Structures are given as C-alpha cells and as structure tokens.
Amino acid sequence: MSEIMKVQFFDYSRVYSTEAERYDNVLKDVLYRSDFIMRDDLAKFEKKLASFVGVKHAIGVANGTDAIWLSLLAVGIKPTDEIIIPSHTYVATAGAVKMIGAIPILADCGEDHLINPESVESLITERTKAIIPVQLNGRTAVMEPLFELSQKYNLILVEDEAQGLGSKYKGKMAGSFGIAGTYSFFPAKVLGCFGDGGAVVTDDDNVAIKVRRMRDHGRDVQGKIRMWGYNSRLDNIQAAILLEKFRTFERDINHRRKIASIYSEHFKDIKEIISPPSPNDEGSKHYNTFQNYEIEVESRDNLRSYLAEHNIDTIIQWGGKPLHGLTALGLHGKDLSRTELLFKRAVLLPMNQYMYLNEAEYVAQKVREFYGAK
Ligand SMILES: *Cc1c(COP(=O)(O)O)cnc(C)c1O
C-alpha cells in the first residue's frame, strides 16, 4: 500500500468533479428553462423526499437550520418555552430554538452517542414544550422511550435529521417519528447539494401548510398573503441537483456502509476502540447510513497526531466541543457526564461516498498500527 496516500476528511473537490457530466446536464437543462425559484424541480424533489421518508408532506427550505426553526414555529413553540435538545449536537439545533426566544435545555447522551431519555426526563419542567432528538451520524435513536415521554408529559417531538436521511429504526425512517423532521442538504451531508439546502417533512397537514407559507413570505399557493412569513425557499436549481443525486442515494449509502464494514472489521480485536455497530451486525432494529464514523478511543490525541503524520485527516465533531462547552453561548443542562467523557475520547474518521475503499483500508491499517496491531 502506498505510503504517500493522503486522505482528507472530506474532499470537497470530489463532490462535483467525479460525476461532472451528469450534473452539467441537469444544470444546463434548468438554466435554459429559466426555472429559478419555486418551479417544477422543487415540487418533484419534495414529492420524492416525502415518498422516500414515508410521510405526506416535504417542504424544501433554505437550509437545515431554517428547517428546525420553521418547524418549531409551525408547531406553535413560543418565547420562554423550554425545548430539550442533546448537548452533543451542532450549534444550529440550539440556534433554531433561540431564534424564537425559546430556551434550549441540554440533555446528556447515551452509549449510542444520541440523546439519553433518562436525562431528558430529569430535565422536564412545567415550561417544557418539546424534545428535539438529533439522529446523529446516520443513526436513529431507540425511539420508544422518547415517544413515551412525549405522551406522558404532552411534549412535541421534532426530529433534527440533518445527519439522518435514510437511517431507520425498526424499519421506520428517521424523520417520520415526530410531528416534523428536518433535513440539511449541506454538501457534506449524505444527500448534499451544491450550496445550502434543507427540508421539513411531516404527516400533519396544518404544519405542512404553515411551513409552506412561512418559507415564502406567508403566501398561499395562489400567492395570497395569509400570515407573516420569511424567505427561506430551496432554490430550484439545488432541488434539481438533489433530485438527480437521489437517483443514486442507495448506491452512496451502500458505499458508506462498505467503508463502515472495513473499519469495523479492522477494529474488532482492538480493545482501545469502541466502534459503532457494524452494518453486518446491526440486527433488524437499526439501519445506519454513516453520515459520520464516530469512535471512542484511548489516547485519542496521540492517535490523531499519528494519523496526521501519515496524511490522514480526522476531526472531533463540532470543533471539539459539545454545546455546554461553548462559553460564549451560556447554555446549561444537568449532569452531562457521558457527553463530557465522549468528548475526551471521540474522533471522526474519514467517511463519505466520495472516498475510495483503498483509502478506508489505509486509514484502518494506520489505526491498527497505532495500537500495535498488525
Ligand atoms: C448540518 C447540521 C445542521 C444544520 O444544517 P445547515 O443546513 O448547515 O443549516 C443542524 N443539525 C445538525 C445535527 C447538523 O449536522
């Protein structure tokens, strides 16, 4: 194996160039049709996304953060409402809550790195209105306990699916568990466009109508103003790209799962590494799409230096800090010890559909070498 191999964490130069011709055709077609805003490609993409997730409605919006924000507005979240979110999430989840004037309350994670229902229950007060489970790394949480909490305390469930498109729990798609699910199509997500994009999915007609209107200045389909709104439309050209990419979504997910199996296979005898479940032994309950490959390891920082010396980029999610570590924001939770431990040990290995399998083999081999395995 070549020692001069270099593995970037995410090589943005591959996003377009590996299949340029395919996308050129789509771009030219849309541009010659002059279909810029709220056109057919958007409607087709929304239809495709809704049927893929198995819900009635999908509404394209400008980005994943707006998708969370507009969903919370549509379900009636008001200023001073408390919304429970995991501390292990992107700042956008908290930002969307904050934009309404509501209060993000931080929950701890469990062994699966996802929101821990026991921690959630300990945070519920009379002001709590919603829980936002974040289906991180292409893995869906065990949903029954969260669903039970939502029933018991009359709380709304909105799923942040920015990392969860295509992921399933007990055969049910991430995004279809709560009253609304939200997606991001940032270029590095499992389904990424050539810029910013997002969507809300829901089975609730009322929520769908509200999000549809709010994303377009409060206008109904006839163009009549019905309420206060904003401009958070998904560009038609991005929708056309997403529609095209959706055609090979399964291939792309399978490629990620292949890389995950390579990692799992190489790490299973190394006791210093805790890997996510392998795609080969996930059982029937979870279907992971591996937006990220997040492992917990001993000597994390030394491992990262060793890999860097061998031209392998790794990152720690969110720039190395969970939400309660962002001192500028002053967010609070209660007993976030599992999240604390995770952020001392966690690292993301390169994982995306643009990687070659021999790059994954090289990464896995170097990790083995670091822990003294052959
Ligand atoms: C990417 C991401 C977002 C935000 O999506 P944008 O499209 O960048 O606004 C929100 N939540 C999580 C968990 C994400 O990974």
Side-chain angles (χ1 to χ4, degrees), residues 36-57:
F36 302 120
I37 302 280
M38 300 277 274
R39 307 297 292 173
D40 230 27
D41 305 272
L42 175 60
K44 280 187 191 151
F45 172 65
E46 289 175 337
K47 212 167 154 215
K48 169 84 196 161
L49 179 63
S51 81
F52 177 79
V53 180
V55 294
K56 268 166 86 179
H57 310 280

PDB file of all heavy atoms in Angstrom, residues 36-57:
ATOM      1  N   PHE A  36     -35.946  29.197 -11.989  1.00  0.00           N
ATOM      2  CA  PHE A  36     -35.079  29.585 -10.870  1.00  0.00           C
ATOM      3  C   PHE A  36     -35.690  29.371  -9.487  1.00  0.00           C
ATOM      4  O   PHE A  36     -35.057  28.829  -8.608  1.00  0.00           O
ATOM      5  CB  PHE A  36     -34.675  31.055 -11.025  1.00  0.00           C
ATOM      6  CG  PHE A  36     -33.967  31.324 -12.330  1.00  0.00           C
ATOM      7  CD1 PHE A  36     -34.489  32.230 -13.243  1.00  0.00           C
ATOM      8  CD2 PHE A  36     -32.801  30.651 -12.646  1.00  0.00           C
ATOM      9  CE1 PHE A  36     -33.843  32.462 -14.447  1.00  0.00           C
ATOM     10  CE2 PHE A  36     -32.148  30.877 -13.851  1.00  0.00           C
ATOM     11  CZ  PHE A  36     -32.672  31.786 -14.757  1.00  0.00           C
ATOM     12  N   ILE A  37     -36.916  29.842  -9.314  1.00  0.00           N
ATOM     13  CA  ILE A  37     -37.497  29.848  -7.961  1.00  0.00           C
ATOM     14  C   ILE A  37     -38.866  29.167  -7.972  1.00  0.00           C
ATOM     15  O   ILE A  37     -39.708  29.499  -8.812  1.00  0.00           O
ATOM     16  CB  ILE A  37     -37.679  31.317  -7.457  1.00  0.00           C
ATOM     17  CG1 ILE A  37     -36.340  32.081  -7.445  1.00  0.00           C
ATOM     18  CG2 ILE A  37     -38.352  31.347  -6.085  1.00  0.00           C
ATOM     19  CD1 ILE A  37     -35.440  31.815  -6.257  1.00  0.00           C
ATOM     20  N   MET A  38     -39.095  28.260  -7.004  1.00  0.00           N
ATOM     21  CA  MET A  38     -40.391  27.607  -6.811  1.00  0.00           C
ATOM     22  C   MET A  38     -40.925  26.997  -8.109  1.00  0.00           C
ATOM     23  O   MET A  38     -42.061  27.247  -8.498  1.00  0.00           O
ATOM     24  CB  MET A  38     -41.404  28.628  -6.256  1.00  0.00           C
ATOM     25  CG  MET A  38     -41.005  29.232  -4.929  1.00  0.00           C
ATOM     26  SD  MET A  38     -41.446  28.182  -3.531  1.00  0.00           S
ATOM     27  CE  MET A  38     -43.120  28.709  -3.269  1.00  0.00           C
ATOM     28  N   ARG A  39     -40.111  26.213  -8.757  1.00  0.00           N
ATOM     29  CA  ARG A  39     -40.501  25.602 -10.030  1.00  0.00           C
ATOM     30  C   ARG A  39     -40.691  24.100  -9.885  1.00  0.00           C
ATOM     31  O   ARG A  39     -40.613  23.552  -8.797  1.00  0.00           O
ATOM     32  CB  ARG A  39     -39.479  25.944 -11.118  1.00  0.00           C
ATOM     33  CG  ARG A  39     -39.208  27.432 -11.256  1.00  0.00           C
ATOM     34  CD  ARG A  39     -40.416  28.227 -11.685  1.00  0.00           C
ATOM     35  NE  ARG A  39     -40.790  27.895 -13.047  1.00  0.00           N
ATOM     36  CZ  ARG A  39     -41.893  28.320 -13.665  1.00  0.00           C
ATOM     37  NH1 ARG A  39     -42.746  29.096 -13.016  1.00  0.00           N
ATOM     38  NH2 ARG A  39     -42.143  27.984 -14.907  1.00  0.00           N
ATOM     39  N   ASP A  40     -40.843  23.467 -11.031  1.00  0.00           N
ATOM     40  CA  ASP A  40     -41.193  22.058 -11.086  1.00  0.00           C
ATOM     41  C   ASP A  40     -40.202  21.120 -10.394  1.00  0.00           C
ATOM     42  O   ASP A  40     -40.591  20.123  -9.793  1.00  0.00           O
ATOM     43  CB  ASP A  40     -41.270  21.662 -12.565  1.00  0.00           C
ATOM     44  CG  ASP A  40     -42.558  20.934 -12.834  1.00  0.00           C
ATOM     45  OD1 ASP A  40     -43.527  21.207 -12.081  1.00  0.00           O
ATOM     46  OD2 ASP A  40     -42.578  20.093 -13.757  1.00  0.00           O
ATOM     47  N   ASP A  41     -38.912  21.429 -10.528  1.00  0.00           N
ATOM     48  CA  ASP A  41     -37.900  20.541  -9.945  1.00  0.00           C
ATOM     49  C   ASP A  41     -38.042  20.500  -8.426  1.00  0.00           C
ATOM     50  O   ASP A  41     -37.843  19.460  -7.803  1.00  0.00           O
ATOM     51  CB  ASP A  41     -36.496  21.017 -10.346  1.00  0.00           C
ATOM     52  CG  ASP A  41     -36.373  21.137 -11.857  1.00  0.00           C
ATOM     53  OD1 ASP A  41     -36.031  20.139 -12.506  1.00  0.00           O
ATOM     54  OD2 ASP A  41     -36.699  22.225 -12.394  1.00  0.00           O
ATOM     55  N   LEU A  42     -38.383  21.646  -7.843  1.00  0.00           N
ATOM     56  CA  LEU A  42     -38.608  21.696  -6.399  1.00  0.00           C
ATOM     57  C   LEU A  42     -39.815  20.823  -6.031  1.00  0.00           C
ATOM     58  O   LEU A  42     -39.729  20.006  -5.109  1.00  0.00           O
ATOM     59  CB  LEU A  42     -38.819  23.146  -5.936  1.00  0.00           C
ATOM     60  CG  LEU A  42     -39.187  23.311  -4.455  1.00  0.00           C
ATOM     61  CD1 LEU A  42     -38.081  22.751  -3.551  1.00  0.00           C
ATOM     62  CD2 LEU A  42     -39.448  24.774  -4.124  1.00  0.00           C
ATOM     63  N   ALA A  43     -40.899  20.993  -6.774  1.00  0.00           N
ATOM     64  CA  ALA A  43     -42.106  20.201  -6.482  1.00  0.00           C
ATOM     65  C   ALA A  43     -41.809  18.705  -6.618  1.00  0.00           C
ATOM     66  O   ALA A  43     -42.230  17.890  -5.785  1.00  0.00           O
ATOM     67  CB  ALA A  43     -43.232  20.611  -7.418  1.00  0.00           C
ATOM     68  N   LYS A  44     -41.054  18.343  -7.659  1.00  0.00           N
ATOM     69  CA  LYS A  44     -40.723  16.922  -7.865  1.00  0.00           C
ATOM     70  C   LYS A  44     -39.840  16.395  -6.745  1.00  0.00           C
ATOM     71  O   LYS A  44     -40.008  15.273  -6.265  1.00  0.00           O
ATOM     72  CB  LYS A  44     -39.993  16.744  -9.201  1.00  0.00           C
ATOM     73  CG  LYS A  44     -40.914  16.735 -10.390  1.00  0.00           C
ATOM     74  CD  LYS A  44     -40.105  16.384 -11.640  1.00  0.00           C
ATOM     75  CE  LYS A  44     -40.930  16.618 -12.888  1.00  0.00           C
ATOM     76  NZ  LYS A  44     -40.083  16.961 -14.042  1.00  0.00           N
ATOM     77  N   PHE A  45     -38.871  17.211  -6.351  1.00  0.00           N
ATOM     78  CA  PHE A  45     -37.981  16.778  -5.269  1.00  0.00           C
ATOM     79  C   PHE A  45     -38.769  16.596  -3.970  1.00  0.00           C
ATOM     80  O   PHE A  45     -38.571  15.617  -3.235  1.00  0.00           O
ATOM     81  CB  PHE A  45     -36.827  17.770  -5.073  1.00  0.00           C
ATOM     82  CG  PHE A  45     -36.008  17.456  -3.853  1.00  0.00           C
ATOM     83  CD1 PHE A  45     -35.273  16.277  -3.772  1.00  0.00           C
ATOM     84  CD2 PHE A  45     -35.991  18.320  -2.762  1.00  0.00           C
ATOM     85  CE1 PHE A  45     -34.540  15.960  -2.636  1.00  0.00           C
ATOM     86  CE2 PHE A  45     -35.268  18.007  -1.623  1.00  0.00           C
ATOM     87  CZ  PHE A  45     -34.544  16.828  -1.561  1.00  0.00           C
ATOM     88  N   GLU A  46     -39.659  17.523  -3.689  1.00  0.00           N
ATOM     89  CA  GLU A  46     -40.456  17.422  -2.455  1.00  0.00           C
ATOM     90  C   GLU A  46     -41.288  16.138  -2.452  1.00  0.00           C
ATOM     91  O   GLU A  46     -41.388  15.446  -1.444  1.00  0.00           O
ATOM     92  CB  GLU A  46     -41.364  18.659  -2.315  1.00  0.00           C
ATOM     93  CG  GLU A  46     -40.555  19.920  -1.983  1.00  0.00           C
ATOM     94  CD  GLU A  46     -41.394  21.194  -1.951  1.00  0.00           C
ATOM     95  OE1 GLU A  46     -42.473  21.216  -2.587  1.00  0.00           O
ATOM     96  OE2 GLU A  46     -40.957  22.157  -1.306  1.00  0.00           O
ATOM     97  N   LYS A  47     -41.848  15.826  -3.610  1.00  0.00           N
ATOM     98  CA  LYS A  47     -42.665  14.624  -3.728  1.00  0.00           C
ATOM     99  C   LYS A  47     -41.822  13.360  -3.496  1.00  0.00           C
ATOM    100  O   LYS A  47     -42.202  12.435  -2.796  1.00  0.00           O
ATOM    101  CB  LYS A  47     -43.282  14.587  -5.128  1.00  0.00           C
ATOM    102  CG  LYS A  47     -44.615  13.935  -5.162  1.00  0.00           C
ATOM    103  CD  LYS A  47     -45.357  14.183  -6.460  1.00  0.00           C
ATOM    104  CE  LYS A  47     -46.317  13.038  -6.673  1.00  0.00           C
ATOM    105  NZ  LYS A  47     -46.497  12.655  -8.046  1.00  0.00           N
ATOM    106  N   LYS A  48     -40.648  13.375  -4.105  1.00  0.00           N
ATOM    107  CA  LYS A  48     -39.721  12.241  -3.991  1.00  0.00           C
ATOM    108  C   LYS A  48     -39.282  12.049  -2.527  1.00  0.00           C
ATOM    109  O   LYS A  48     -39.270  10.925  -2.012  1.00  0.00           O
ATOM    110  CB  LYS A  48     -38.514  12.513  -4.906  1.00  0.00           C
ATOM    111  CG  LYS A  48     -37.347  11.606  -4.734  1.00  0.00           C
ATOM    112  CD  LYS A  48     -37.512  10.324  -5.517  1.00  0.00           C
ATOM    113  CE  LYS A  48     -36.525   9.296  -4.998  1.00  0.00           C
ATOM    114  NZ  LYS A  48     -36.825   7.952  -5.314  1.00  0.00           N
ATOM    115  N   LEU A  49     -38.934  13.157  -1.874  1.00  0.00           N
ATOM    116  CA  LEU A  49     -38.469  13.080  -0.486  1.00  0.00           C
ATOM    117  C   LEU A  49     -39.578  12.566   0.431  1.00  0.00           C
ATOM    118  O   LEU A  49     -39.337  11.681   1.267  1.00  0.00           O
ATOM    119  CB  LEU A  49     -37.980  14.468  -0.016  1.00  0.00           C
ATOM    120  CG  LEU A  49     -37.482  14.559   1.427  1.00  0.00           C
ATOM    121  CD1 LEU A  49     -36.240  13.685   1.647  1.00  0.00           C
ATOM    122  CD2 LEU A  49     -37.160  16.012   1.808  1.00  0.00           C
ATOM    123  N   ALA A  50     -40.792  13.089   0.248  1.00  0.00           N
ATOM    124  CA  ALA A  50     -41.910  12.659   1.092  1.00  0.00           C
ATOM    125  C   ALA A  50     -42.154  11.161   0.924  1.00  0.00           C
ATOM    126  O   ALA A  50     -42.306  10.426   1.905  1.00  0.00           O
ATOM    127  CB  ALA A  50     -43.170  13.450   0.754  1.00  0.00           C
ATOM    128  N   SER A  51     -42.133  10.678  -0.320  1.00  0.00           N
ATOM    129  CA  SER A  51     -42.420   9.256  -0.509  1.00  0.00           C
ATOM    130  C   SER A  51     -41.271   8.401   0.013  1.00  0.00           C
ATOM    131  O   SER A  51     -41.485   7.332   0.564  1.00  0.00           O
ATOM    132  CB  SER A  51     -42.770   8.950  -1.965  1.00  0.00           C
ATOM    133  OG  SER A  51     -41.608   8.824  -2.737  1.00  0.00           O
ATOM    134  N   PHE A  52     -40.040   8.897  -0.101  1.00  0.00           N
ATOM    135  CA  PHE A  52     -38.890   8.155   0.420  1.00  0.00           C
ATOM    136  C   PHE A  52     -38.991   7.989   1.942  1.00  0.00           C
ATOM    137  O   PHE A  52     -38.767   6.911   2.478  1.00  0.00           O
ATOM    138  CB  PHE A  52     -37.583   8.869   0.045  1.00  0.00           C
ATOM    139  CG  PHE A  52     -36.352   8.218   0.606  1.00  0.00           C
ATOM    140  CD1 PHE A  52     -35.813   7.086   0.010  1.00  0.00           C
ATOM    141  CD2 PHE A  52     -35.726   8.728   1.737  1.00  0.00           C
ATOM    142  CE1 PHE A  52     -34.689   6.478   0.537  1.00  0.00           C
ATOM    143  CE2 PHE A  52     -34.595   8.119   2.274  1.00  0.00           C
ATOM    144  CZ  PHE A  52     -34.071   6.993   1.661  1.00  0.00           C
ATOM    145  N   VAL A  53     -39.328   9.080   2.633  1.00  0.00           N
ATOM    146  CA  VAL A  53     -39.398   9.035   4.106  1.00  0.00           C
ATOM    147  C   VAL A  53     -40.688   8.334   4.561  1.00  0.00           C
ATOM    148  O   VAL A  53     -40.756   7.816   5.672  1.00  0.00           O
ATOM    149  CB  VAL A  53     -39.292  10.467   4.703  1.00  0.00           C
ATOM    150  CG1 VAL A  53     -39.373  10.440   6.222  1.00  0.00           C
ATOM    151  CG2 VAL A  53     -37.989  11.137   4.279  1.00  0.00           C
ATOM    152  N   GLY A  54     -41.692   8.319   3.681  1.00  0.00           N
ATOM    153  CA  GLY A  54     -42.958   7.677   4.038  1.00  0.00           C
ATOM    154  C   GLY A  54     -43.879   8.606   4.809  1.00  0.00           C
ATOM    155  O   GLY A  54     -44.567   8.175   5.737  1.00  0.00           O
ATOM    156  N   VAL A  55     -43.875   9.880   4.436  1.00  0.00           N
ATOM    157  CA  VAL A  55     -44.766  10.858   5.071  1.00  0.00           C
ATOM    158  C   VAL A  55     -45.556  11.586   3.970  1.00  0.00           C
ATOM    159  O   VAL A  55     -45.236  11.481   2.794  1.00  0.00           O
ATOM    160  CB  VAL A  55     -43.990  11.904   5.911  1.00  0.00           C
ATOM    161  CG1 VAL A  55     -43.327  11.257   7.110  1.00  0.00           C
ATOM    162  CG2 VAL A  55     -42.961  12.633   5.051  1.00  0.00           C
ATOM    163  N   LYS A  56     -46.563  12.350   4.390  1.00  0.00           N
ATOM    164  CA  LYS A  56     -47.423  13.023   3.418  1.00  0.00           C
ATOM    165  C   LYS A  56     -46.757  14.229   2.759  1.00  0.00           C
ATOM    166  O   LYS A  56     -46.954  14.481   1.581  1.00  0.00           O
ATOM    167  CB  LYS A  56     -48.716  13.482   4.118  1.00  0.00           C
ATOM    168  CG  LYS A  56     -49.841  12.459   4.036  1.00  0.00           C
ATOM    169  CD  LYS A  56     -50.956  12.792   5.003  1.00  0.00           C
ATOM    170  CE  LYS A  56     -51.958  13.771   4.397  1.00  0.00           C
ATOM    171  NZ  LYS A  56     -53.060  14.052   5.360  1.00  0.00           N
ATOM    172  N   HIS A  57     -46.006  14.986   3.542  1.00  0.00           N
ATOM    173  CA  HIS A  57     -45.506  16.266   3.017  1.00  0.00           C
ATOM    174  C   HIS A  57     -43.998  16.432   3.196  1.00  0.00           C
ATOM    175  O   HIS A  57     -43.456  16.066   4.230  1.00  0.00           O
ATOM    176  CB  HIS A  57     -46.150  17.445   3.766  1.00  0.00           C
ATOM    177  CG  HIS A  57     -47.631  17.361   3.867  1.00  0.00           C
ATOM    178  ND1 HIS A  57     -48.471  17.713   2.840  1.00  0.00           N
ATOM    179  CD2 HIS A  57     -48.426  16.948   4.889  1.00  0.00           C
ATOM    180  CE1 HIS A  57     -49.727  17.548   3.224  1.00  0.00           C
ATOM    181  NE2 HIS A  57     -49.728  17.071   4.458  1.00  0.00           N
TER     182      HIS A  57
END
